[in-house]
Amino acid sequence: EVQLVESGGALAQPGGSLRLSCAASGFTFSTYVMNWVRQAPGKGLEWISYINTDGHTIYYADSVKGRFTISRDNAKNSLYLQMNSLRDEDTAVYYCARDFGGQAPYWYFDLWGRGTLVTVSS
Amino acid sequence: EIVLTQSPGTLSLSPGERATLSCRADQSVSSTYLAWYQHKPGQAPRLLISGVSSRATGIPDRFSGSGSGTDFTLSISRLEPEDFAVYYCQQYGGPPLTFGGGTKVEIK
């Protein structure tokens, strides 16, 4: 089955850190650009990060730049998001999302996971 | 950054009725770089439309997209029970990618 499964969401304190993972299965993960998208409670979707197939081209939204780091391990079919210096406003469900285009990004997403909840609170 | 505003926030309709959802950008969207997604609680978002009007694989033809420049529309010709959900538009002219705030289509 083609799917993405996120994990690692938890309760964290402001200023703390978390590492999210996204396990891919049913497709050739190494040939797809990947992204992280989040949804804060009662809010819409927010794109936060992009990584190309070899991990050498990365983009971040301004809201997380300098605090979050996206990475991938193609041998393990996994995508990661290291989240540091967490703030209350980082509370959200975090989704990993596959780019439609494969190696050449189309910048829209044809496969999403169900998400993992991150709560930042003291 | 392109800001997308969706309206209405909530649409209350009955099965079989037509739904018309609006997505307005504060500046012109590059080429046809606009997509629509359906999202149900606890589920993964689902791609419906890309390139303003191209349905994704497996999407029924009751879903259609139209528009250009700054004004875009998603139409659902006859609502089925499984269509009640939240719908998001997304522009993808390059980073930062942005989404609209969503329109909830609820059962009247």
Side-chain angles (χ1 to χ4, degrees), chain B residues 4-77:
Chain B
L4 300 177
T5 301
Q6 291 187 242
S7 62
T10 302
L11 201 50
S12 299
L13 295 168
S14 300
E17 290 192 293
R18 180 181 185 86
T20 302
L21 288 65
S22 173
C23 175
R24 180 162 292 175
D26 67 344
Q27 54 187 286
S28 186
V29 173
S30 299
S31 189
T32 57
Y33 296 155
L34 190 106
W36 291 91
Y37 300 87
Q38 178 191 69
H39 193 199
K40 298 178 181 179
Q43 297 188 18
R46 176 191 185 195
L47 175 67
L48 297 176
I49 300 277
S50 63
V52 175
S53 59
S54 298
R55 278 187 300 277
T57 302
I59 301 304
D61 62 6
R62 65 180 180 273
F63 291 91
S64 63
S66 63
S68 65
T70 61
D71 289 293
F72 301 90
T73 300
L74 174 70
S75 298
I76 311 171
S77 59

Side-chain angles (χ1 to χ4, degrees), chain A residues 38 46 48-49 60-69 90:
Chain A
R38 69 184 180 183
E46 179 190 15
I48 57 172
S49 190
Y60 298 101
D62 286 346
S63 58
V64 305
K65 197 175 295 181
R67 300 187 300 121
F68 290 9
T69 302
D90 295 319

Side-chain angles (χ1 to χ4, degrees), chain A residues 39 95 106-109 113-114, chain B residues 37 39 42 44 50 88 90 92:
Chain A
Q39 183 175 31
Y95 299 94
Y106 277 54
W107 299 100
Y108 60 91
F109 314 127
R114 289 175 176 257
Chain B
Y37 300 87
H39 193 199
S50 63
Y88 294 96
Q90 179 219 340
Y92 53 96

Side-chain angles (χ1 to χ4, degrees), chain A:
Chain A
E1 181 184 2
V2 175
Q3 65 178 352
L4 298 169
V5 179
E6 302 92 340
S7 61
L11 174 64
Q13 292 197 335
S17 298
L18 280 177
R19 189 194 196 206
L20 306 184
S21 299
C22 170
S25 58
F27 65 98
T28 307
F29 176 75
S30 62
T31 64
Y32 282 87
V33 167
M34 297 295 296
N35 293 262
W36 286 98
V37 178
R38 69 184 180 183
Q39 183 175 31
K43 303 290 187 181
L45 299 169
E46 179 190 15
W47 168 81
I48 57 172
S49 190
Y50 158 110
I51 187 168
N52 76 334
T53 53
D54 64 10
H56 290 161
T57 300
I58 287 172
Y59 299 104
Y60 298 101
D62 286 346
S63 58
V64 305
K65 197 175 295 181
R67 300 187 300 121
F68 290 9
T69 302
I70 191 172
S71 63
R72 65 191 296 161
D73 185 336
N74 288 337
K76 294 183 177 180
N77 294 327
S78 292
L79 176 72
Y80 304 103
L81 186 68
Q82 178 65 42
M83 308 166 64
N84 297 332
S85 303
L86 284 164
R87 305 168 179 169
D88 291 351
E89 57 264 35
D90 295 319
T91 295
V93 176
Y94 285 74
Y95 299 94
C96 59
R98 185 181 79 174
D99 189 284
F100 173 83
Q103 294 195 9
Y106 277 54
W107 299 100
Y108 60 91
F109 314 127
D110 67 342
L111 180 68
W112 300 63
R114 289 175 176 257
T116 187
L117 176 62
V118 172
T119 303
V120 182
S121 176
S122 54

